[in-house]
Amino acid sequence: MTDQASLAVSPYSVRAFDEEYVPLLAGGPTTAERHTVGRAGVVMGPGGTVIVLDAHAAGDRSGVGNAERVRLVGPAPATVTERLMGTAWDGGRNVSPIHIAVRTGDEVLYLGTARVSRAGASGGVLSDCELLLDTPLSRDLLDRVRPRSASAVLPDLTWLRAVNGDRAAALEQFLDGWYPATGGTERPSSSAPRLPEGLRQLYRIAVRRPDVLGTQNRILPASDLLSDPLGETLVFGVENQGGFFWSLLWTMEDAESDPTVWFREYDEKPVAEQEPLSGFLLQFSLFEASLGADYLALPRRLGAAQVERFTQALHPVPLRPFWPGAPTHFYVAPGLVVHVSGEDGEEFDVWAGATHRSALDRWADLPVDWTRFDG
């Protein structure tokens, strides 16, 4: 008879086990509760929790994200919410184990135990939970439980040719390619008629693609625009924790067509961004697209030679550096945006975001120390 202890220590990370054993991992078939969370199954009992996921390549639902991370997307029933949120609050201490398995066709592969690293809730209901596997998956096993999609279509680089010719067209083409439309109807903005056309264009695009206003930092909606404490500038962009903001000079006359953008930390003097509003909005959009992407490649800090190797097959975006605090350059490929930031010219922070993990394959064998790699 197979018991819970033998299941937990057997090398199921390299072979399948019968799905009938799932309740045993949770403490026994007579006491196990079965729940459905999105497309995942969750079995809970006094001895532990088993999360059974489907093998797939998508990044917007429950599944294996990379060799270390698993995602469970809700909404979840109250008992599941209570257990997993309790695990998150407790930091993984004093809780029963969480086991992860993936269904691949007729097989169920056991991947090992995991701990909750992040859990989000809406109205007291678990909406999104990230778990870290205690033992990272091998590359071969990762490809089995997170199979490649043969139908992935990556946004192209048509917009790049227009960057220094028609920036409004470049911005719209990039955003339309990167963000799926939500089904709204675009309409002209009727508020703040004295705003520069670049901002008004962004607001028109945001009607159908609201994420274009930012996922980390934010471009304020037209209805929320405000002046700075002295009433000298119009604040239109803010850092996510309120540490700095971007503004335009306030004027009672018609807005300048492509004004200077001013960056300011609250206790410092304003500093001009190197690109005017037309270039700034494209840079802001590239920065936010990389930060909010479903698939990420995050190396630890790199030296100049490593950055050159990391970006050598990519296309540089022909704009002057973004963000005075840490000058930032952008590099792109179809479905991929990379930003490289550095203050001293010797060490750099590099962040790559992609619309599909296949865009990250170029770095699978690169000898760098990864903080996170979803390829």
Side-chain angles (χ1 to χ4, degrees):
M1 179 70 177
T2 303
D3 60 19
Q4 182 182 358
S6 63
L7 278 171
V9 299
S10 297
Y12 287 114
S13 59
V14 294
R15 70 172 187 265
F17 68 99
D18 292 335
E19 196 164 359
E20 66 184 75
Y21 294 142
V22 169
L24 296 177
L25 289 172
T30 61
T31 56
E33 302 176 17
R34 292 182 178 270
H35 302 278
T36 299
V37 179
R39 300 187 184 186
V42 177
V43 180
M44 293 172 26
T49 302
V50 185
I51 299 174
V52 183
L53 308 161
D54 287 334
H56 66 88
D60 58 351
R61 57 187 173 95
S62 299
V64 175
N66 60 28
E68 299 176 342
R69 297 172 189 269
V70 173
R71 185 183 184 196
L72 180 67
V73 178
T79 53
V80 177
T81 295
E82 182 179 357
R83 178 167 291 194
L84 294 181
M85 291 294 289
T87 299
W89 293 328
D90 192 38
R93 301 180 301 274
N94 304 317
V95 294
S96 56
I98 300 173
H99 303 273
I100 305 297
V102 174
R103 185 180 294 104
T104 61
D106 295 331
E107 293 183 325
V108 177
L109 297 178
Y110 178 71
L111 305 187
T113 55
R115 53 190 169 83
V116 175
S117 65
R118 178 183 56 79
S122 176
V125 175
L126 182 73
S127 57
D128 196 310
C129 181
E130 182 181 81
L131 302 102
L132 294 180
L133 292 166
D134 292 326
T135 302
L137 306 180
S138 68
R139 189 76 188 178
D140 288 343
L141 182 56
L142 178 62
D143 286 340
R144 291 180 67 185
V145 299
R146 193 194 59 175
R148 296 181 178 277
S149 171
S151 60
V153 177
L154 302 178
D156 63 33
L157 297 181
T158 303
W159 61 273
L160 190 61
R161 296 194 292 269
V163 168
N164 282 326
D166 186 346
R167 288 183 176 175
L171 179 66
E172 186 159 3
Q173 290 168 9
F174 170 73
L175 295 175
D176 284 354
W178 192 272
Y179 295 101
T182 60
T185 301
E186 292 184 11
R187 58 185 184 274
S189 173
S190 59
S191 60
R194 288 185 289 107
L195 288 178
E197 175 56 26
L199 271 181
R200 302 208 298 168
Q201 177 197 20
L202 188 67
Y203 292 143
R204 289 195 295 269
I205 296 171
V207 172
R208 297 188 64 200
R209 296 172 167 83
D211 285 347
V212 305
L213 296 184
T215 56
Q216 174 79 4
N217 307 313
R218 292 189 306 123
I219 299 294
L220 296 174
S223 59
D224 293 343
L225 296 175
L226 65 156
S227 64
D228 71 351
L230 298 178
E232 297 175 346
T233 61
L234 182 70
V235 176
F236 71 92
V238 294
E239 193 253 349
N240 67 319
Q241 295 180 335
F244 57 81
F245 60 87
W246 290 283
S247 63
L248 306 171
L249 290 180
W250 180 263
T251 176
M252 296 303 293
E253 301 174 357
D254 289 340
E256 185 180 345
S257 61
D258 198 13
T260 298
V261 174
W262 294 92
F263 168 91
R264 185 172 187 176
E265 295 181 277
Y266 280 96
D267 57 351
E268 301 289 343
K269 292 182 178 180
V271 179
E273 287 280 356
Q274 294 194 46
E275 289 289 344
L277 182 64
S278 60
F280 169 86
L281 291 176
L282 186 53
Q283 292 172 320
F284 178 91
S285 298
L286 290 166
F287 192 78
E288 293 299 309
S290 64
L291 287 176
D294 285 333
Y295 302 92
L296 302 177
L298 311 180
R300 300 194 188 277
R301 299 203 83 188
L302 301 180
Q306 290 174 301
V307 169
E308 184 175 357
R309 183 176 181 184
F310 195 90
T311 60
Q312 64 183 357
L314 307 180
H315 299 275
V317 178
L319 294 169
R320 289 167 289 190
F322 170 68
W323 193 20
T328 299
H329 295 83
F330 297 93
Y331 302 84
V332 295
L336 177 67
V337 176
V338 178
H339 70 256
V340 178
S341 304
E343 299 178 24
D344 57 11
E346 296 183 2
E347 287 193 322
F348 299 87
D349 292 314
V350 178
W351 189 296
T355 57
H356 189 270
R357 72 184 183 94
S358 62
L360 305 179
D361 284 350
R362 65 188 70 236
W363 298 309
D365 299 320
L366 196 66
V368 300
D369 185 12
W370 296 106
T371 299
R372 173 172 172 176
F373 183 69
D374 294 341

